[in-house]
Amino acid sequence: MWPTRMNNFSLMRSLDIHEDPTFIPEVATSVTEDKSEAISPSDVIKQLTDARSDSARNGFSFKGIKDYLECYRSGKLTPSQVARNIIAMLEDCDKSTPPLRAIVQWDQEQIMLMAEASTTRYRNKCTLSCLDGIPVCLKEEFKVVPYHHRVGTVYLGTQPETEDATVAKKLREAGAIIIGVSNMHELGTGTTGCNPNRYHKIPRNPYNPNHFTGGSSSGSAAAVAAGLCPVAIGTDGGGSVRIPASFCGVVGLKDGMPPNMSDTYSCEVKFDQRNSEIYHPESHEGTFGRISCHGSLPLSYSTVSVGPICTSVADAAIVYSILAEPDLLYPYGLKQPRATLSDMCAPDLKGLKLGVDWTVFKACDAEVLSVCEKAVKHLQSLGASVVEVSLPEMEEARVAHVICILSEMRDFLQPDFNKHFHEMNLETRASLALASQFTALDYIKANRQRTRSMRFLQEIFSTVNCILTPVRSMRFMHLGNFTGIPGLVVPIGYSTTGFPISLQVMAKWWDEAVLLRTGLKLEQFRDQTKKPSIYYDILA
């Protein structure tokens, strides 16, 4: 979730910051709900699923939700047939050299039960949603029946789960086929995805199995890129959805962060997701945002959010619209404004202002910069205007983000650190040991910096709709988590060595709709999709 370059932490101590600290990136909604919206979200989803499939184009294209629905609706394949194909591919993944290690727990009987139920619904023309029969996987950070909730470790999840996380429950209610839980960096403590312990091993990048997937939602991105499923769910505390999505050449969406926390304090008590104890709302809590985190391990309460990894922006929008609903088990999201897909399918980008800090933007490899600059020009050709903006104090924000996320994880994992230290990977031990060196003053100073960074962004978003950056591991990722704004990464091309290159779009709090609108047009920039060296065509 943060860079391995653990330096410059004395920076915070040398600064004199007068702003009050912001411990949660809370911003009241400024999005005005249009009760007379011409096109409802369900109508937008129908447009997305009824549109001509990308597979009709010449050359390779990833199979997405539309492709599965076309097969089911036409009778070409049933969900049961698809499930049998997936099981065969999962067996092949485990036997390959090296093993893909995208899905680390799966159960043939469970997969077939869900698939057969979906097949019956299609036969009876009573499907539950546009996700009915769609294969999905969830990061091991979520509780999913009947798998072990190990969160990338060897010591957690000693017994199979008996209750789903909210996102798993919603996916089941939508008719999706959960094919298993996916690999992850141990406890989300890194951005490579490398997890050498006996239960997980190292997940492989489908574009080159000798390279990392990125992390910490490593297996989720690898599963989508390898064709095992068109949809995966991850979590993002410092790029943990967006980094692996970009490394693996697929789409990743990090949702926005919380509503005004004062709205939730009417709840006198809440339920501790890990220890099954009643505790007060002001005590340690999990993650926040559009999508409920109930049933995931609450590692960092102020930075982590849930997000989908998909084969396309359209698919990300579909999954987002289904999952981004209030959850009574998750009080922090009860006051969020209604999720909307307003104007997502607009024919152009006229009226949108895209902010670019060219100094920050150009801090990447020349080859990446060249492709990203051309992608920005593509968005301009569709009617968007590019406005030069300044993203101040990025290094201060980077350092403050690491202090916040590491301190919060160290706090939550204190019992684990004491009891299971020798069962943790060396990288996890080092990260948590480093966090123990931070003081209360460091944490307060970092959150004073959060106040400043959020104010800077509020000023920037008063003049532009989006901010654009390249994607280069952690360099451009931390700002979204630190301040709570949503972000979307979209693949736009490839390096000369064949690795994916992506562009990131960030928007103001609660405005995921403009991300998706921009992302739809951005993914049209890539004139050809290269087939990963590891790819399973489940629909063949």
Side-chain angles (χ1 to χ4, degrees), residues 103-141:
I103 306 297
V104 290
Q105 298 183 61
W106 59 278
D107 182 276
Q108 177 174 335
E109 182 180 355
Q110 290 291 320
I111 295 171
M112 288 308 304
L113 281 173
M114 287 179 277
E116 287 165 0
S118 179
T119 297
T120 299
R121 290 191 293 271
Y122 273 98
R123 184 185 305 121
N124 295 332
K125 295 181 169 50
C126 59
T127 52
L128 299 174
S129 78
C130 60
L131 290 185
D132 208 323
I134 303 301
V136 303
C137 69
L138 293 93
K139 187 178 184 179
E140 202 180 55
E141 195 168 329

Side-chain angles (χ1 to χ4, degrees), residues 39 50 126 140 162 170 244 278 310 415 472 477 481 504:
I39 303 178
D50 289 348
C126 59
E140 202 180 55
T162 57
K170 282 181 175 290
I278 297 297
C310 301
R472 185 185 175 188
M477 297 292 107
N481 303 94
Q504 177 178 222

Side-chain angles (χ1 to χ4, degrees), residues 27 101 179 246 336 414 428 462 480 507 536:
V27 173
R101 299 304 296 167
I179 68 170
S246 63
Q336 63 177 275
Q414 178 70 21
T428 305
S462 69
Y536 297 97

Side-chain angles (χ1 to χ4, degrees), residues 506-538:
M506 295 182 286
K508 67 178 179 293
W509 301 267
W510 307 117
D511 204 4
E512 288 88 350
V514 76
L515 290 185
L516 297 167
R517 176 185 173 186
T518 306
L520 271 182
K521 296 297 183 286
L522 183 59
E523 67 183 349
Q524 296 172 2
F525 169 73
R526 185 176 60 180
D527 59 359
Q528 181 186 12
T529 303
K530 293 187 177 181
K531 185 178 181 180
S533 60
I534 301 174
Y535 185 76
Y536 297 97
D537 191 345
I538 302 298

